[in-house]
Amino acid sequence: MKEVFPRLAECTEDERLDLCAERMVLNWGPSHPATHGTLRVILELEGETIVHCDTEIGFLHRGLEKLAESWNYNQCVNISDRLNYCSVFINNVGWHQTCEKLFGIQVPERAIYLRMILSEISRIADHMVCIGPNAVDIGALTPFWYTWDIREQAYDLLEMVTGARMTTAFTRVGGLSADIPEGFDAKTRAFLPEVYRVMDELDSLLAKNRIFNDRTRGVGALSADEAISYGWTGPCLRACGVAHDLRVANPYLAYGDMDFDIPVGEAGDTYDRIFVRIEECRQSAKIISQALDKLPGGPVLSDDKQVVLPPKPAVYTQAEALIHHFEVVIFGPRAPVAQTVYEAVEGANGELGFMVVSDGSNKPYRLHIRPPCFYIFSALPRLITGSLLADLPATVASLNIIAGELDR
Amino acid sequence: MSTQDCSDKSLKVAVASLEEAASVAREMKRPGALEQFVNWSRKHSLWPIPFGTACCAIEFMGMVGSSLDLSRFGAEFVRFSPRQCDLMIVAGTIVNKMAPVLRKIYLQMAEPKWVISMGACACSGGMFNTYSVLQGIDRIIPVDYYVPGCPPRPEAVLYAILELQKRISEESSVLSSKERHREAWVRGLKARGRTPKSIILHGKGEDSL
Amino acid sequence: MTDTAREAAKRLAAKMRTGALRMSEDKRGVVVELNSAGDLIQALEFVKKDSESPFDMLMTISAVDWLRWKEQTGMPQPEKRYSLTYNLYSMSKKVRLFVQIAIMPADVVPSAVSVYASANWAEREVFDMFGIQFGGHPELRRIYLPEDFSGHPLQKDFPLQGHEPQDFPQE
């Protein structure tokens, strides 16, 4: 914590001459280059020091939870797309994993591994979107181009499989909507050395850079206990020194079979948050290569008749399959009545949880999304009060606040 | 000034100001040399202000990034100050809470200014027909180009910017955006065989832009 | 996993007054339903300081409006209109515990801000979306919607497209 100015009455004459007599209220956002989405921070400044801070969010509140009550379970994946729109596939997986728990369906092995591979590719893309603009806000313009290069390659891979760069909506209740095309394996394996190369480039550009260190070390630091109390999860919590990752703590998909490390920081400051993300990208690349080696064959969609579309040859030849196809397309899968589930995945920012209450119809009765950014951003006043104004963009960018998730 | 046959490409008319040049050009139905020069310099230095709120902002950044590189078309600086920009790209959902902010930023931009509405949410509210989402930014500001998509590919937005550049080179340079939109509206009505009785840009019945 | 949570719930039941809570399990895990909202803070404090598996993180507070439950499912309507679920997580044992209370719209729920700092914004969100009041919250005001918005959107009788037509001042 930086020193705050002493009270006026206790100053000496000389100190009083140096003190700023008037505090200034500065509005930061919602339209601002460094807000990364639409946030508003109202600052009370004494010179350059932030003495009080208040935040306002809701500038992207689209009513997603209310909208989910009008859409069926397969349509709601579009809502999950628009949550953390930088790592879209992880949200898709989280949503459909919750649905699968609700319906009590098993997903085939191949779909599990593919979901894992595509989630990790999305995670790399998200971390790149965080680090690039974060460096730009501090003034380092070069890393932006390197991170964007990797991001474009990740998007090429996602587009190859799902058809969309960003809003993939690729998972279905019971697996994936389609299998990977030929050439995906080779292209992904060619992508992985690029990831390691760019991470090394970022290290060489940023790790020992004097200005970067001065701007980020000790800035926006939070202790582990406070972080837990605020509900922090994900890379921000790991930077505070808590080795908690849902992929290891409560393994889902096939993460239990993968061998990877959890990068943990020490000081919980901006520097640690950035470098935890860089290291996580390396670990994600490791997971992808292991998963590609172990990728089993088989179908990518479960064959549970109540929930998934039947194969087309059956639809054209059997009446039962035709009726069943009609029901699934028009109504969507119907959940068992009066079930409440909560499932969480390790999103790029932390624990992304979905709570669903089902009422026996094809639409959720209530969907509640637990966004990681919401709790991370709530601690912002605690992080920057007492710091200088210039620390604010660096800190906010390192928290990776995605407004789609924050505001839903 | 006399009205000349517009097929005479070598016509030279002495004019005292840009406004006069514009009025001559309008009579002749094509921009004169001075206006062409002004249009050329404007279209090749469109500085965007990305009003990015949601997912489309990431695709906008993809357009600015190295694979598509918007700056080769003159949009070198993506500045966030409305005083320094002339093209506002609204990328992302605008909710009711953000709408006054958007309008204020638009009004703060200096003439000439253009608006590209990027993405389904900015064009029409997108898939979010809910209690908090503005169903299209054209309810509060005039839009020059709509780019559909959710999100549109960066190439699509680039296409919109190139189309905008073509349009800038063809239109008169002294009109403000208000007059430009009014003229476009009148042209559209006349093309449908109607006469403009009153110009209503937005459903409020008030022509305040 | 559920064993740890079950044990923690039993320890909680032992510490609270008799009949204060009901333990059950569903697809989420172990759910502790408190019969009275007044016991909430005490229960949260007990689980936070639990000897074996302290539940040190409040993941989220979810609220459900049961207004349309009977007409949509045919099942009996719950007595009280809202239920609030406190989703707790133990960092050391990696287990979840769900503490649930049922309340009426006019009830004032004691605020958990003194126990968990994450309750601050979680309660503001529940207030904004449902209109549930939290007593003792430092600043209970809207978080997502503008201050002058009338109504609470996630209540079941609030239409998806809202009540008021969109109207913007022309400056």
Side-chain angles (χ1 to χ4, degrees), chain C residues 39-157:
Chain C
D39 293 327
L40 177 69
I41 303 299
Q42 195 188 32
L44 291 177
E45 279 172 353
F46 282 149
V47 291
K48 188 176 180 190
K49 297 187 182 68
D50 189 69
S51 50
E52 301 281 325
S53 54
F55 288 89
D56 39 7
M57 189 180 286
L58 172 66
M59 278 298 175
T60 188
I61 303 177
S62 321
V64 185
D65 180 357
W66 299 107
L67 189 68
R68 301 243 188 275
W69 185 246
K70 185 162 180 199
E71 75 181 67
Q72 285 183 232
T73 59
M75 294 179 71
Q77 178 77 17
E79 276 174 23
K80 301 202 173 176
R81 183 169 172 186
Y82 298 118
S83 68
L84 276 182
T85 307
Y86 289 72
N87 184 338
L88 304 168
Y89 191 77
S90 166
M91 277 289 156
S92 45
K93 298 287 186 213
K94 317 287 184 202
V95 289
R96 290 186 203 280
L97 183 68
F98 296 85
V99 176
Q100 214 167 297
I101 54 173
I103 50 175
M104 296 299 284
D107 286 352
V108 175
V109 182
S111 167
V113 172
S114 50
V115 189
Y116 297 103
S118 51
N120 190 327
W121 274 30
E123 286 171 357
R124 276 179 68 187
E125 183 199 334
V126 169
F127 166 69
D128 192 7
M129 295 285 114
F130 288 90
I132 295 172
Q133 300 277 341
F134 289 90
H137 192 281
E139 41 166 6
L140 192 67
R141 56 190 165 94
R142 285 191 185 272
I143 194 165
Y144 289 138
L145 295 163
E147 292 289 336
D148 54 358
F149 190 89
S150 65
H152 297 279
L154 279 174
Q155 290 174 343
K156 284 288 179 182
D157 43 5

Side-chain angles (χ1 to χ4, degrees), chain B residues 146-195:
Chain B
Y146 296 84
V147 186
C150 193
R153 288 190 67 101
E155 288 91 336
V157 191
L158 197 56
Y159 179 65
I161 293 180
L162 293 176
E163 288 291 304
L164 181 64
Q165 284 184 338
K166 267 190 235 167
R167 200 168 74 161
I168 291 172
S169 60
E170 284 157 16
E171 66 184 15
S172 167
S173 52
V174 293
L175 295 179
S176 70
S177 72
K178 177 174 169 178
E179 288 159 351
R180 192 165 26 89
H181 282 274
R182 191 202 301 261
E183 293 228 333
W185 188 267
V186 170
R187 261 201 310 273
L189 283 176
K190 286 190 176 152
R192 293 198 289 278
R194 289 161 53 186
T195 42

Side-chain angles (χ1 to χ4, degrees), chain B residues 68-138:
Chain B
L68 276 164
D69 199 13
L70 184 60
S71 65
R72 351 175 227 154
F73 299 103
E76 180 64 40
F77 291 114
V78 180
R79 288 280 153 84
F80 286 77
S81 165
R83 302 294 193 200
Q84 297 172 19
C85 297
D86 38 21
L87 169 63
M88 179 151 85
I89 300 181
V90 183
T93 322
I94 300 294
V95 301
N96 293 343
K97 198 170 182 182
M98 193 66 173
V101 177
L102 173 63
R103 189 164 157 82
K104 202 175 210 180
I105 302 277
Y106 177 76
L107 292 174
Q108 284 175 347
M109 283 166 72
E111 292 289 347
K113 53 189 175 185
W114 295 271
V115 175
I116 287 181
S117 157
M118 176 182 172
C121 293
C123 294
S124 65
M127 63 183 203
F128 304 110
N129 191 358
T130 63
Y131 52 87
S132 61
V133 173
L134 181 65
Q135 301 294 298
I137 59 168
D138 51 8

Side-chain angles (χ1 to χ4, degrees), chain A residues 31 33 38 56-64 67 71 78 82 85-86 145 148 151-152 155 159 165-167, chain B residues 51 53-55 58-59 61-62 64-65 67 80 93 95 97-98 127-128 130-133 150-151 153-154:
Chain A
S31 170
T38 46
E56 188 180 345
I57 62 172
F59 292 98
L60 197 61
H61 175 70
R62 299 177 277 199
L64 296 183
L67 198 53
W71 286 0
N78 292 299
R82 274 90 186 160
Y85 37 76
C86 300
W145 312 113
W148 236 247
R151 186 188 149 275
E152 288 291 327
Y155 275 18
E159 193 181 13
R165 284 159 56 97
M166 233 167 118
T167 46
Chain B
F51 200 89
T53 47
C55 345
I58 310 292
E59 288 295 61
M61 286 200 262
V64 170
S67 43
F80 286 77
T93 322
V95 301
K97 198 170 182 182
M98 193 66 173
M127 63 183 203
F128 304 110
T130 63
Y131 52 87
S132 61
V133 173
C150 193
R153 288 190 67 101

Side-chain angles (χ1 to χ4, degrees), chain A residues 36-68:
Chain A
H36 297 291
T38 46
L39 317 162
R40 183 175 176 221
V41 182
I42 304 144
L43 302 162
E44 203 179 319
L45 295 172
E46 195 162 329
E48 286 273 322
T49 315
I50 299 170
V51 290
H52 183 75
C53 153
D54 193 16
T55 54
E56 188 180 345
I57 62 172
F59 292 98
L60 197 61
H61 175 70
R62 299 177 277 199
L64 296 183
E65 292 182 357
K66 184 93 186 171
L67 198 53

Side-chain angles (χ1 to χ4, degrees), chain A residues 149-222:
Chain A
D149 185 24
I150 286 293
R151 186 188 149 275
E152 288 291 327
Q153 289 183 39
Y155 275 18
D156 280 343
L157 289 174
L158 284 173
E159 193 181 13
M160 199 178 171
V161 180
T162 67
R165 284 159 56 97
M166 233 167 118
T167 46
T168 53
F170 194 59
T171 52
R172 297 286 178 268
V173 181
L176 299 175
S177 67
D179 206 337
I180 50 171
E182 279 198 33
F184 176 74
D185 187 280
K187 201 162 175 186
T188 313
R189 286 191 200 272
F191 167 65
L192 298 178
E194 291 287 300
V195 175
Y196 290 119
R197 177 187 67 88
V198 168
M199 297 306 120
D200 291 339
E201 295 261 17
L202 287 175
D203 263 342
S204 70
L205 280 170
L206 299 174
K208 299 208 176 89
N209 184 299
R210 175 63 194 276
I211 299 177
F212 191 79
N213 273 269
D214 281 346
R215 287 290 302 267
T216 54
R217 281 208 190 266
V219 165
L222 197 65

Side-chain angles (χ1 to χ4, degrees), chain A residues 195-274:
Chain A
V195 175
Y196 290 119
R197 177 187 67 88
V198 168
M199 297 306 120
D200 291 339
E201 295 261 17
L202 287 175
D203 263 342
S204 70
L205 280 170
L206 299 174
K208 299 208 176 89
N209 184 299
R210 175 63 194 276
I211 299 177
F212 191 79
N213 273 269
D214 281 346
R215 287 290 302 267
T216 54
R217 281 208 190 266
V219 165
L222 197 65
S223 68
D225 290 330
E226 279 194 273
I228 293 176
S229 179
Y230 272 105
W232 277 29
T233 46
C236 294
L237 180 65
R238 292 194 275 278
C240 294
V242 180
H244 172 70
D245 187 327
L246 269 184
R247 297 174 287 175
V248 170
N250 304 99
Y252 58 98
L253 294 179
Y255 286 111
D257 300 332
M258 299 288 124
D259 170 37
F260 63 101
D261 304 314
I262 309 175
V264 171
E266 288 169 352
D269 55 12
T270 302
Y271 185 88
D272 278 350
R273 288 191 279 268
I274 293 174

